[in-house]
Every structure is written in C-alpha cells, then in structure tokens.
Amino acid sequence: MDPEQNLATQNLTLPEAETPAFDYLPLTIHNGIAYLAGQLAKVDGVQTNPGQVGANIDEAEAGRQMQLCALQSLAWLKHYLGTLEKVQKVMHLNAYVACSSEFEYISRIADHASQVYIAAFGGENGRHARSVLGMVRLPQNAPVMIDLRVAVQE
C-alpha cells in the first residue's frame, strides 16, 4: 500500500500544502535528506485555535493540531517529491509545544505526530528519533509546531 492509502485506513487525508507567510522554503533536499521547516496547524492559511496548552488549549486540541502539523508536513513532501512513495524513512522529528509551566504531558501530544508517520510509512520506516520541547510561545501564537527530517529517494 502507498502511504496515502495507509493514512486513509486511519481516516486521515492530506490537506493542501499551506504556502509560507514569510521568506523561506518549506522544504529543502540535500544528499537524500529532506529538511522540512516548522509546520503549524494551519487551515486555509490561518493558524487554528491559537494559544498555550494548559492555559487556554486542552491536551486533546493540542493533539489534534499536532496531527494536522504532521499531515501538513506530508503534504509538502508530496508536493516536492510528487509522491510519498519516495520517502524512505522518517529520521527525526522535533515537536514543540507552547505550554504553561504546569503542563507536563508534552510527549503525549508529540505522539499524535509520531503516530501519523508510523501509520503512513509503517513501523520500520515511520518510527523515528525525536525531541520534544516545551516553549513559552511559538510563531503566530500556535500551541504546537513540528519540523522534520526524512530520507528520500531523489
């Protein structure tokens, strides 16, 4: 099965790749590694439900947005590569969570992104190293953001 079909079995579909609002590339490829810039949970160019987890964003909403960030990253990979079948392995995920100092479940929120990659590419190629970081604030007051590195067939 191809990665998009794998996602469909989990009732997940790729959104349209959101155009960056500022002066940078959303993705670059060098020596078989794709580097994806920070992905926010945007819909139609707008950050959905901004805020801070543990203050005005609950864990479930943060998980939903983290999943959307992961799907957005896959949309960019498909846009640049033409197909997700050229992704060989998810190498490393950075997951950022804007949260109150009392909120301690940032890894559970990051799992929502990790699960998207595992669903798309399987356990061997979708499982990855990752770092999870709690922040005071993220761009556009987003509660979550990711960046990603994947091995690709050029």
Side-chain angles (χ1 to χ4, degrees), residues 14-143:
L14 298 184
E16 290 296 316
E18 291 285 342
T19 304
F22 300 98
D23 192 16
Y24 66 93
L25 293 172
L27 183 147
T28 60
I29 300 172
H30 182 71
N31 290 334
I33 302 293
Y35 299 85
L36 281 95
Q39 302 293 307
L40 303 178
K42 289 184 179 181
V43 175
D44 297 325
V46 178
Q47 168 60 46
T48 60
N49 204 6
Q52 193 180 56
V53 182
N56 58 341
I57 301 290
D58 66 23
E59 186 176 341
E61 173 61 12
R64 183 194 71 78
Q65 288 196 40
M66 186 65 77
Q67 182 182 71
L68 183 54
C69 291
L71 291 168
Q72 185 62 235
S73 71
L74 295 180
W76 274 114
L77 283 165
K78 181 181 177 183
H79 177 80
Y80 272 74
L81 299 172
T83 177
L84 291 178
E85 291 182 29
K86 289 186 177 180
V87 173
Q88 296 174 324
K89 177 153 182 60
V90 178
M91 303 298 291
H92 190 266
L93 167 70
N94 283 321
Y96 306 91
V97 179
C99 58
S100 66
S101 60
E102 297 80 29
F103 187 79
E104 56 187 81
Y105 303 111
I106 60 176
S107 291
R108 282 199 314 222
I109 293 170
D111 280 347
H112 291 268
S114 293
Q115 290 162 2
V116 169
Y117 302 121
I118 294 165
F121 303 111
E124 180 68 26
N125 296 327
R127 199 166 300 281
H128 48 272
R130 107 179 161 191
S131 299
V132 182
L133 300 100
M135 305 280 165
V136 172
R137 186 176 167 104
L138 290 167
Q140 299 178 36
N141 200 25

